[in-house]
Amino acid sequence: MQTPAPASRAAPARSALAPAGARVPQQPSGIGLDSAAVRARMVQRLAATGIQSPAVLAAMGSVERHRFVDSALVNQAYEDTSLPIGLGQTISKPSVVARMTELLLGSEAAKSGLGRVLEIGTGCGYQAAVLARVAREVYSIERLRGLHEKARSNLRPWRLTNVHLIFGDGMEGYGSGAPYAGIISAAGGESMPSAWCDQLAVGGRLVAPMVVTGGKQALLVIDKSSHGFTQSILEAVNFVPLKSGIA
């Protein structure tokens, strides 16, 4: 994320995406790309690379990634690559989105489904749309107002009543929605913010990129139990840096 502008910190502002009871349209209006076949091939590639969760594969197949990128990049929407979304930020690779979502589910949540989830770094809204299909409720916080508004615009046609977008400092989490069954971050920092660990429910899981030995980033999985925290360091990743404040 970008360096915040020198402004006073404001309380997070929550915005609803649709009225209660609204239904998700099957094909929201937009550009005329027939993406069903290319999405199916993307899902096949994800399965071939090790994504096993039927819920995650179904979510990846149902969310039209081309609706979350600029029109000039539509032809690359289903390639396994990150793409710019403005303000120095990117939409993550489909393989990374699927991997982190599957990690967040874990073995227990994969059976019963996720409860309430907090996403740090809404970006263009793509990850939130995927999470909406595997979690009961999604709170997604973004510190850059331009991206917060872009995500609102991108997600509005879907009328996802279980997604709540917040403009605020992601390093502080979002206490009003806590505790969370899962927390997922789209930015990597030098250390894990204490607010995230505090807001994670007992039995919950946190998935985030973190700087490890040698200054490189790796995926970090933290599980919280009544006895404390356990963590696992997984594969190397490359995310934008975690920043504080709003801009």
Side-chain angles (χ1 to χ4, degrees), residues 15-33:
S15 57
L17 293 175
R23 300 184 64 183
V24 178
Q26 293 302 307
Q27 292 289 336
S29 60
I31 59 176
L33 177 66

Side-chain angles (χ1 to χ4, degrees), residues 216-238:
K216 302 293 184 180
Q217 289 182 356
L219 276 183
L220 185 67
V221 174
I222 293 180
D223 292 297
K224 185 175 183 178
S225 72
S226 57
H227 303 293
F229 297 92
T230 58
Q231 71 174 37
S232 303
I233 298 175
L234 305 179
E235 66 266 23
V237 289
N238 185 26

Side-chain angles (χ1 to χ4, degrees), residues 63-201:
V63 178
E64 296 174 311
R65 189 172 185 253
H66 70 271
R67 300 188 185 276
F68 295 85
V69 302
D70 292 339
S71 58
L73 301 173
V74 158
N75 290 337
Q76 302 176 60
Y78 298 100
E79 296 176 7
D80 195 34
T81 184
S82 58
L83 295 170
I85 57 173
L87 298 176
Q89 309 299 295
T90 60
I91 181 175
S92 295
K93 297 179 181 180
S95 61
V96 172
V97 172
R99 169 68 166 154
M100 293 180 72
T101 304
E102 186 171 62
L103 285 171
L104 195 68
L105 276 170
S107 57
E108 292 303 315
K111 299 173 186 175
S112 57
L114 273 172
R116 186 180 298 125
V117 171
L118 174 65
E119 178 192 17
I120 310 296
T122 311
C124 62
Y126 178 66
Q127 174 76 79
V130 172
L131 290 171
R133 286 154 173 76
V134 299
R136 177 173 54 83
E137 194 170 15
V138 180
Y139 287 85
S140 183
I141 188 166
E142 172 59 54
R143 62 175 290 272
L144 297 177
R145 186 178 293 277
L147 288 185
H148 170 71
E149 296 298 333
K150 176 177 282 192
R152 286 189 65 192
S153 178
N154 287 340
L155 291 170
R156 187 177 292 113
W158 295 99
R159 297 183 178 272
L160 300 173
T161 57
N162 64 333
V163 175
H164 314 283
L165 301 184
I166 302 108
F167 174 63
D169 186 348
M171 288 189 69
E172 297 177 356
Y174 186 62
S176 296
Y180 299 101
I183 297 177
I184 187 169
S185 175
E190 299 286 338
S191 60
M192 191 69 64
S194 59
W196 300 0
C197 296
D198 293 342
Q199 293 171 21
L200 189 65

